[in-house]
Amino acid sequence: MRILRPCWSCCCLLLFCSLGIQGTPKAPSAAPEQVHLSYLDEPGSMTVTWTTWVPTPSEVQFGLQPSGPLPLRAQGTFSPFVDGGILRRKLYIHRVTLRGLLPGVQYVYRCGSAQGWSRRFRFRALKNGPHWSPRLAVYGDLGADNPKALPRLRRDTQQGMYDAVLHVGDFAYNMDQDNARIGDKFMRLIEPVAASLPYMTCPGNHEERYNFSNYKARFNMPGDSEGLWYSWDLGPAHIISFSTEVYFFLHYGRHLVERQFHWLESDLQKANQNRAARPWIITMGHRPMYCSNADLDDCTWHESKVRKGLRGRFYGLEDLFYKYGVDLQLWAHEHSYERLWPIYNYQVFNGSQEKPYTNPRGPVHIITGSAGCEERLTPFSLFPRPWSALRVKEYGYTRLHILNGTHTHLQQVSDDQDGKIVDDIWVVRPLLGRMMYL
């Protein structure tokens, strides 16, 4: 067989032609992208976050009219973020907080500077106080590839179905990949939802690279822990977000486990003292305490780290959450949906046989990690556990409606079944005598 030797002049000509076709590399853009909102637990406010590729002023123009001039202005700051990948790509993350917003009023806004503006987006300012009924979309494990639930979530958002989103860890798969380009792609994908609703987050295991740097830089949450743990009030609920990952990535510091635990205890004490105003205490963390999936994840082990703590003895969260009467615990990580009976220490504590979620004597756990990612769905073990009430291996997400101080409504939407509601329960707890389970 004759061996063909490379013609270097031909190779050079091909390279030159391909460069000519592509043109010279684009100059870094000053146009805002990856726009998203968050609520920093300050009534009458909303924070806008976006990315540019060059340093620019940070301004939001906003108003009440969908067209015409936007008369209101707010300025903020930007921070350079250098990804830990080999290319050390640099992004500029802008943050501007809008204040003095009228509760429940719809605003139109754009963000950027004279060097480039975003398109116009809309959001509705959150209502103040406990006497209203927030509606939330809840899910985890949403990737840049195979984001099955996202088109339906976008439609729901356009129809005004939600007041906020809770993303319970694991973004993009992974935000750091391809020198953080996957993170950029993901943030662009969620923009139609996240630029219209406060997009509230907690970290998952897929955010771990470079000490969670992409997660910390891209999202702007309340508190001073770079979004690892924080809490906020929404209607009749106090919502607590925390990091299950401090129990697993100990090389970033064992002190984080202790710091978070003490913060959680202090926050839960205050929340209990405020039950008369905000009766519901809801937590969100990525890795569940319990699950019945057919894998070897932490939640399949009897002495799971999240449940029982380090070495099965230190800083476990189940006893803490039970002690302070957490009502609802939201989880993800497993790429499926599972609802548990009210549970503590593997014992079922239903309110009654007929109405298990009316005045339950233990917290209700919901695992909702089936929004869609490249890893597909997680199978369940052959036989359900006695504490598992319902298991759904379909793509979808959860709707949470905190109706008032006594009634909360949960639904699971199946994307596989064209939006069919495949789970529907009410959790009912009386106001009187409502403090702790103990």
Side-chain angles (χ1 to χ4, degrees):
M1 180 183 290
R2 184 184 174 193
I3 298 174
L4 296 175
R5 300 188 181 277
C7 173
W8 294 111
S9 59
C10 294
C11 292
C12 291
L13 181 61
L14 283 170
L15 179 61
F16 178 79
C17 290
S18 66
L19 286 172
I21 292 167
Q22 293 175 7
T24 56
K26 282 188 192 176
S29 174
E33 60 173 69
Q34 307 174 38
V35 181
H36 55 287
L37 302 177
S38 58
Y39 176 65
L40 301 190
D41 202 27
E42 179 187 337
S45 76
M46 193 70 76
T47 297
V48 186
T49 305
W50 70 93
T51 295
T52 62
W53 303 99
V54 293
T56 67
S58 307
E59 181 175 305
V60 173
Q61 299 178 349
F62 62 108
L64 302 177
Q65 301 303 321
S67 59
L70 298 170
L72 304 173
R73 303 282 190 274
Q75 280 79 35
T77 59
F78 70 84
S79 304
F81 167 62
V82 180
D83 174 61
I86 192 170
L87 295 184
R88 309 295 290 178
R89 289 175 72 237
K90 182 181 283 190
L91 298 69
Y92 295 89
I93 311 290
H94 301 255
R95 295 177 177 86
V96 176
T97 298
L98 316 184
R99 293 183 170 88
L101 302 176
L102 300 173
V105 170
Q106 182 174 270
Y107 287 86
V108 178
Y109 75 97
R110 68 175 187 171
C111 58
S113 69
Q115 295 169 250
W117 292 99
S118 71
R119 70 176 181 88
R120 293 186 177 206
F121 300 98
R122 300 181 187 188
F123 73 88
R124 191 170 297 278
L126 295 176
K127 296 177 183 178
N128 297 336
H131 302 298
W132 63 288
S133 304
R135 297 174 182 266
L136 303 99
V138 186
Y139 52 85
D141 302 78
L142 180 68
D145 292 328
N146 193 38
K148 287 282 191 177
L150 194 55
R152 194 172 305 280
L153 284 163
R154 290 176 63 169
R155 291 196 294 272
D156 287 358
T157 301
Q158 290 164 2
Q159 294 168 15
M161 291 183 63
Y162 308 119
D163 299 292
V165 170
L166 305 182
H167 188 141
V168 194
D170 277 7
F171 307 79
Y173 286 73
N174 292 342
M175 286 195 288
D176 64 272
Q177 289 218 339
D178 191 15
N179 293 280
R181 291 188 182 93
I182 300 300
D184 298 332
K185 177 183 176 182
F186 176 79
M187 299 304 290
R188 294 184 196 110
L189 278 174
I190 65 168
E191 186 182 79
V193 174
S196 301
L197 297 168
Y199 201 89
M200 308 301 285
T201 62
C202 73
N205 55 297
H206 280 270
E207 285 67 74
E208 174 268 336
R209 197 78 183 273
Y210 315 125
N211 196 7
F212 298 86
S213 63
N214 268 271
Y215 171 81
K216 292 174 180 177
R218 293 176 186 271
F219 294 108
N220 192 27
M221 296 296 121
D224 58 2
S225 72
E226 298 181 289
L228 295 183
W229 56 81
Y230 62 90
S231 65
W232 56 299
D233 294 326
L234 184 70
H238 181 70
I239 301 174
I240 301 171
S241 173
F242 66 97
S243 173
T244 56
E245 304 316 297
V246 296
Y247 290 88
F248 297 89
F249 298 106
L250 295 174
H251 53 285
Y252 293 128
R254 289 175 176 265
H255 68 283
L256 293 173
V257 180
E258 183 178 3
R259 274 183 58 199
Q260 176 176 259
F261 184 89
H262 291 314
W263 176 87
L264 282 168
E265 184 159 38
S266 174
D267 193 75
L268 285 164
Q269 287 173 349
K270 294 172 190 172
N272 254 301
Q273 292 165 4
N274 196 38
R275 287 270 198 182
R278 303 194 192 268
W280 295 100
I281 298 178
I282 299 171
T283 61
M284 56 184 269
H286 183 61
R287 301 196 206 202
M289 295 182 189
Y290 301 89
C291 69
S292 64
N293 295 87
D295 53 31
L296 296 176
D297 285 346
D298 183 62
C299 52
T300 65
W301 297 88
H302 193 276
E303 303 295 304
S304 74
K305 288 182 182 177
V306 176
R307 192 174 81 85
K308 297 301 288 182
L310 300 179
R311 299 181 185 174
R313 292 186 296 162
F314 301 107
Y315 309 116
L317 295 181
E318 184 175 43
D319 287 347
L320 181 70
F321 289 177
Y322 185 75
K323 176 181 177 181
Y324 289 102
V326 171
D327 299 289
L328 178 63
Q329 300 182 25
L330 303 171
W331 312 95
H333 192 60
E334 304 303 318
H335 301 168
S336 53
Y337 172 81
E338 186 166 15
R339 167 170 52 86
L340 276 55
W341 299 118
I343 187 173
Y344 170 67
N345 196 27
Y346 283 92
Q347 294 184 56
V348 172
F349 286 99
N350 290 346
S352 67
Q353 187 171 354
E354 298 79 20
K355 297 181 178 179
Y357 297 102
T358 296
N359 199 21
R361 293 169 295 129
V364 177
H365 293 241
I366 299 290
I367 304 165
T368 176
S370 60
C373 68
E374 64 186 35
E375 294 182 357
R376 311 298 169 179
L377 295 169
T378 309
F380 287 106
S381 59
L382 185 59
F383 300 106
R385 305 291 187 263
W387 36 262
S388 180
L390 181 71
R391 310 189 301 178
V392 179
K393 187 191 169 187
E394 294 175 357
Y395 290 109
Y397 54 95
T398 306
R399 291 175 180 154
L400 170 62
H401 182 198
I402 309 166
L403 181 67
N404 54 36
T406 59
H407 288 67
T408 286
H409 190 202
L410 287 151
Q411 294 180 315
Q412 180 66 9
V413 180
S414 170
D415 200 68
D416 290 8
Q417 299 190 54
D418 197 28
K420 181 182 177 181
I421 304 300
V422 292
D423 192 25
D424 192 321
I425 66 159
W426 286 88
V427 181
V428 181
R429 294 204 63 193
L431 288 173
L432 292 176
R434 183 172 175 172
M435 288 292 284
M436 305 176 189
Y437 298 115
L438 296 176

